[in-house]
Amino acid sequence: MVSAYSYKKINEFDVEDDSKPTAHTPLESELQNRLGWLRRPSVFWLLPSFLLFNLTMGATAMPKMNVLISLICRNVLSAQSAAAGSMQLSRSPHEVPAGESGQSMQSGAGVGNYSINAVVIGDYNSQCSIREVESATALLNLYGNLIAGIIGALCAPVWGKLSDRYGRVKPLAAASTIVVFSELISVLIASLPDVFPLNWIYLGYLLEGFSGTFILIMALASSYAADCTEHSERNVALGWFHGVMFFGMAVGPIFGGYLGMVGGKSRPLLIFYTALVLRITGVVLLFFVPESLAKSDMRKTEKFLRGGPDQSWTDKLKRANPLYALRILIPSDSKLGKPLQRNVIVLAGVNTIMFGGFMGAMNVMMLYSQYIFAWGNRESGIFLSTVNFFRTIATILILPLAIRLFRRWLSPTGQRAGSRGFDRLDIFLIRISIASDIIGYIGYAIAPTGALFTLSGAVASLGAVGLTTSEASMTKLIPKSQTGELLGALGFLQAMARIIAPTVANLTYSWTVDRTPQLVFWGIAITFVTAGAVSFLVHPQATPAETLDDEAEGEESEAMVPIGGAKHCANC
């Protein structure tokens, strides 16, 4: 029997062009139009919560260190007091060595300053500036950073997969909530030190690791931006998030210092209570943020995660392995071609090297400036705020301006280059930012004064553009349904760089500080030279990711629907 209908082949799920601001099904798009801008995904919806997160992170960095020093100091002084008491009990009351009576009187006179009750938790305590406290604090920070870093590296790919399956906002809210509980533990330890021992701080580091650390928060925010922006605007969108991060790092210490002045010695923990309220506010704001990932893309990811019906338990366990997510960095689909595989790998490598150089230099710059220029906390704080302000300007103002000028005057055909993929402008921005990093770190090494040292930091701040552009470029090469997995895998690499780079930089500085303290900056500059050389392996990508996604979906589905079948339905 001949059918009265004409048929066409459709995809199992509606797939929109990934270069459009959103990729929703027609029903979702109609619903969004009815709801208006209130439910339309935009990077500006997420920026307030992201700003609060980074502002509190910058504000509590130094006060948290002071709290740890205070708590460790209490333990050290308590142990020394117990040891001194046992020595006194072991002596006869009449046995007082010659010349020791005066010392005993002096120590007795100063016992009030060196008792644990005299230690103000969260404030500067001069009696805590002793070798035992410094050594114990360094070890605790080392162990805590290793716990948070390693667990965060393993959890970042998992969170990335979850964001592809359930959207960006829910995992972001869940990770931020875990960070709130981590901060709550720090507040409890500082407020009730006799109830919660210092070892509870490791539970806070553990929760921080499960949240994926700030690296995961940044990756999820970047995934959100990639979902709701065109390819041509993606660098600018990710630049907003990087700029807000650097702005928080610049203003956060100033905000924390102001709250410290307001609280004084009577309320040294005011900054932590305020930060806890701001973090909770940031989580609440996420409930009002529209989801950026279309449900059609979520269903595609669900189908991929489930695998085929004949999938073995070995394959299922392999998919559950967090390291398995790293395969996204080496696409195996023959349609993608070798150029795209090379671009993804090289961009991931360049981004990781730049991030590692940034993390490795942070502590060394403070130690070096204190040793060479005799800077105190005030000068160091001014330097950090200045450099991060320049990074904010680079990502929020200079990057959009450079892109606009290129599109308008330098593009030979006048077209919007990059709107359909990864182009020469992206490569140019990455190489220019790497060059600024090289010049900046050489400037650190040869700067004879603190002013020139700060100027070198301003030059190196343009390197923030490279971090933004390399991440944005990678999202242009991978289908939207795998953006979270891609940035989660990149988060794993960044988390490993966060562990390895500071360790290598600090060890190098400690070994060479007596002879050539600036050697570490030359080493970091050479690392950036390596990143610049690797960047020449990248080439513009002609095949847009959305086309590959559409082709893959078209081959998977066998569904057939009638064209104009509605008007013949009465004859069925």
Side-chain angles (χ1 to χ4, degrees):
M1 181 177 179
V2 179
S3 173
Y5 311 109
S6 299
Y7 291 87
K8 70 174 182 178
K9 188 177 180 181
I10 65 168
N11 296 336
E12 182 177 1
F13 306 115
D14 292 325
V15 179
E16 298 287 336
D17 190 345
D18 192 30
S19 64
K20 295 179 180 179
T22 56
H24 296 272
T25 62
L27 181 60
E28 292 169 342
S29 299
E30 182 181 356
L31 182 61
Q32 276 198 353
N33 291 332
R34 291 181 180 178
L35 293 176
W37 63 272
L38 287 174
R39 302 307 302 168
R40 187 176 299 121
S42 171
V43 294
F44 296 104
W45 279 111
L46 195 57
L47 283 177
S49 177
F50 194 69
L51 174 62
L52 291 178
F53 177 86
N54 288 281
L55 184 65
T56 53
M57 184 174 65
T60 58
M62 186 56 69
K64 185 179 293 185
M65 182 64 65
N66 291 333
V67 166
L68 291 179
I69 293 175
S70 304
L71 295 173
I72 292 174
C73 183
R74 283 169 50 95
N75 292 347
V76 170
L77 294 180
S78 178
Q80 291 180 348
S81 177
S86 63
M87 290 179 62
Q88 291 292 334
L89 290 175
S90 64
R91 290 177 176 176
S92 171
H94 304 287
E95 293 180 358
V96 179
E100 192 170 309
S101 58
Q103 296 177 4
S104 300
M105 292 178 61
Q106 290 177 4
S107 64
V111 70
N113 291 333
Y114 286 86
S115 66
I116 61 175
N117 294 327
V119 177
V120 180
I121 297 177
D123 197 10
Y124 173 76
N125 300 276
S126 59
Q127 66 269 37
C128 296
S129 298
I130 56 179
R131 180 179 59 82
E132 292 84 352
V133 174
E134 293 290 331
S135 176
T137 304
L139 284 177
L140 189 145
N141 276 320
L142 174 62
Y143 297 148
N145 288 330
L146 284 176
I147 291 172
I150 293 175
I151 296 179
L154 296 176
C155 290
V158 177
W159 283 107
K161 279 187 178 181
L162 291 176
S163 72
D164 286 336
R165 172 62 187 92
Y166 298 102
R168 316 302 183 194
V169 179
K170 291 179 182 178
L172 187 58
S176 301
T177 302
I178 296 176
V179 173
V180 170
F181 281 104
S182 175
E183 293 292 332
L184 180 61
I185 290 175
S186 299
V187 171
L188 290 176
I189 294 173
S191 304
L192 305 170
D194 296 326
V195 178
F196 296 94
L198 180 60
N199 287 337
W200 276 70
I201 197 68
Y202 289 110
L203 178 59
Y205 284 121
L206 191 68
L207 290 177
E208 181 185 355
F210 283 128
S211 72
T213 70
F214 75 95
I215 295 175
L216 186 276
I217 303 295
M218 187 68 213
L220 293 180
S222 299
S223 300
Y224 187 95
D227 291 340
C228 55
T229 54
E230 299 179 6
H231 280 182
S232 60
E233 301 296 331
R234 196 158 296 175
N235 292 6
V236 177
L238 267 67
W240 275 99
F241 284 110
H242 280 83
V244 166
M245 179 183 69
F246 292 127
F247 181 79
M249 295 172 64
V251 178
I254 301 175
F255 177 63
Y258 171 75
L259 290 178
M261 293 174 57
V262 172
K265 289 187 176 293
S266 60
R267 294 180 296 170
L269 301 182
L270 176 63
I271 175 60
F272 293 99
Y273 300 138
T274 305
L276 194 61
V277 172
L278 292 179
R279 286 193 182 276
I280 294 175
T281 303
V283 174
V284 172
L285 289 177
L286 290 175
F287 287 94
F288 300 95
V289 176
E291 178 54 57
S292 63
L293 189 64
K295 292 183 178 180
S296 57
D297 291 316
M298 297 182 194
R299 290 195 294 267
K300 285 188 292 184
T301 304
E302 179 184 18
K303 180 179 179 181
F304 170 77
L305 293 177
R306 286 179 178 177
D310 300 330
Q311 189 180 42
S312 64
W313 282 103
T314 305
D315 293 333
K316 292 182 179 180
L317 291 175
K318 185 185 295 183
R319 287 176 179 269
N321 183 2
L323 299 180
Y324 182 72
L326 294 179
R327 81 197 189 289
I328 191 68
L329 299 176
I330 309 177
S332 59
D333 194 331
S334 60
K335 293 181 181 180
L336 299 178
K338 293 295 182 181
L340 187 141
Q341 295 179 6
R342 181 181 61 247
N343 284 343
V344 173
I345 296 173
V346 171
L347 288 172
V350 169
N351 182 277
T352 304
I353 292 174
M354 297 183 69
F355 184 83
F358 168 73
M359 295 300 298
M362 287 183 63
N363 290 333
V364 173
M365 282 192 294
M366 297 298 97
L367 296 173
Y368 180 85
S369 60
Q370 291 174 8
Y371 179 69
I372 299 297
F373 308 120
W375 281 0
N377 290 334
R378 177 176 174 273
E379 291 81 4
S380 298
I382 293 175
F383 169 77
L384 286 177
S385 295
T386 301
V387 171
N388 284 309
F389 269 123
F390 275 104
R391 287 172 178 157
T392 303
I393 294 173
T395 52
I396 291 183
L397 295 180
I398 296 179
L399 177 60
L401 181 62
I403 293 176
R404 183 180 295 272
L405 290 176
F406 181 87
R407 305 291 188 221
R408 180 172 297 180
W409 289 313
L410 301 182
S411 183
T413 59
Q415 63 183 1
R416 299 174 66 188
S419 62
R420 298 289 297 177
F422 173 59
D423 66 0
R424 295 185 182 277
L425 175 61
D426 298 318
I427 300 175
F428 174 77
L429 291 173
I430 291 173
R431 291 173 182 169
I432 286 293
S433 64
I434 292 175
S436 70
D437 272 321
I438 295 172
I439 296 172
Y441 279 93
I442 292 177
Y444 285 142
I446 64 177
T449 63
L452 291 178
F453 191 80
T454 304
L455 179 61
S456 300
V459 174
S461 65
L462 289 175
V465 173
L467 283 174
T468 301
T469 305
S470 57
E471 286 187 18
S473 300
M474 293 177 68
T475 63
K476 297 177 183 179
L477 302 175
I478 296 296
K480 180 181 293 186
S481 58
Q482 294 177 293
T483 300
E485 185 179 1
L486 169 69
L487 295 181
L490 183 63
F492 172 85
L493 297 178
Q494 292 179 344
M496 297 305 297
R498 179 196 176 195
I499 298 172
I500 297 173
T503 303
V504 174
N506 287 326
L507 286 176
T508 302
Y509 182 75
S510 65
W511 291 339
T512 61
V513 65
D514 294 333
R515 295 161 298 183
T516 53
Q518 66 273 14
L519 182 63
V520 63
F521 295 119
W522 287 104
I524 296 176
I526 293 174
T527 303
F528 279 107
V529 170
T530 303
V534 171
S535 69
F536 282 90
L537 299 176
V538 180
H539 299 286
Q541 182 62 44
T543 306
E546 64 270 16
T547 300
L548 299 173
D549 203 20
D550 293 341
E551 290 176 1
E553 285 297 316
E555 290 184 355
E556 287 180 0
S557 176
E558 296 296 334
M560 306 292 287
V561 296
I563 299 177
K567 62 182 180 179
H568 298 287
C569 193
N571 300 327
C572 295

